[in-house]
Amino acid sequence: MEPGADCPCASGLSYTDCCGRLHVGLAEAATAEQLMRSRYSAFAVGDTAYLEDTWHPSTRPASVELGEGLTWIGLQVVDFSDDQVEFVARFRGPAGRGFVRERSQFVQHDGRWLYLAPVEG
């Protein structure tokens, strides 16, 4: 991302001052919501290494697919609790615009927040 560019997570901060710090290892997510926002931003900037590193080992796939031809264009946090975050992530792709709506489960593992899985139901 260009220096000074807005963070994709819609925090109102620059990428460098927000999720970029987490992506390069200068900080760790302090909450499940912050981790979810940083993971959305990782999808937006194509940082598969960060996505893999922040996915719980028990549910992490062998490789992370970013969705070929997708451009992530917006994030809305709908609801959150201590360990769950519901969000809507909007994208544009070859077939047009779309969105992903998910309630995600997060856990602390070795002192770090990690993505576990979508909440079923």
Side-chain angles (χ1 to χ4, degrees):
M1 292 203 74
E2 292 187 31
D6 290 343
C7 192
C9 83
S11 66
L13 299 173
S14 73
Y15 172 73
T16 302
D17 292 334
C18 191
C19 294
R21 298 176 59 242
L22 282 71
H23 293 173
V24 298
L26 293 176
E28 292 282 340
T31 65
E33 180 188 3
Q34 187 179 29
L35 180 62
M36 185 282 307
R37 287 179 175 278
S38 71
R39 286 178 54 83
Y40 169 83
S41 291
F43 273 101
V45 301
D47 190 343
T48 56
Y50 183 80
L51 292 166
E52 290 170 358
D53 185 53
T54 57
W55 206 315
H56 194 276
S58 69
T59 57
R60 182 187 314 132
S63 65
V64 176
E65 301 298 323
L66 295 175
E68 191 165 328
L70 296 184
T71 301
W72 295 94
I73 57 174
L75 175 67
Q76 176 189 7
V77 175
V78 176
D79 188 32
F80 63 92
S81 64
D82 195 36
D83 62 353
Q84 292 185 8
V85 181
E86 183 176 355
F87 65 90
V88 177
R90 291 178 171 69
F91 61 86
R92 184 176 42 250
R97 293 178 178 250
F99 67 92
V100 174
R101 184 174 186 139
E102 179 178 306
R103 177 173 286 277
S104 298
Q105 181 72 49
F106 297 86
V107 295
Q108 289 205 319
H109 180 74
D110 292 336
R112 297 176 59 214
W113 281 105
L114 297 176
Y115 171 73
L116 185 62
V119 175
E120 299 298 323

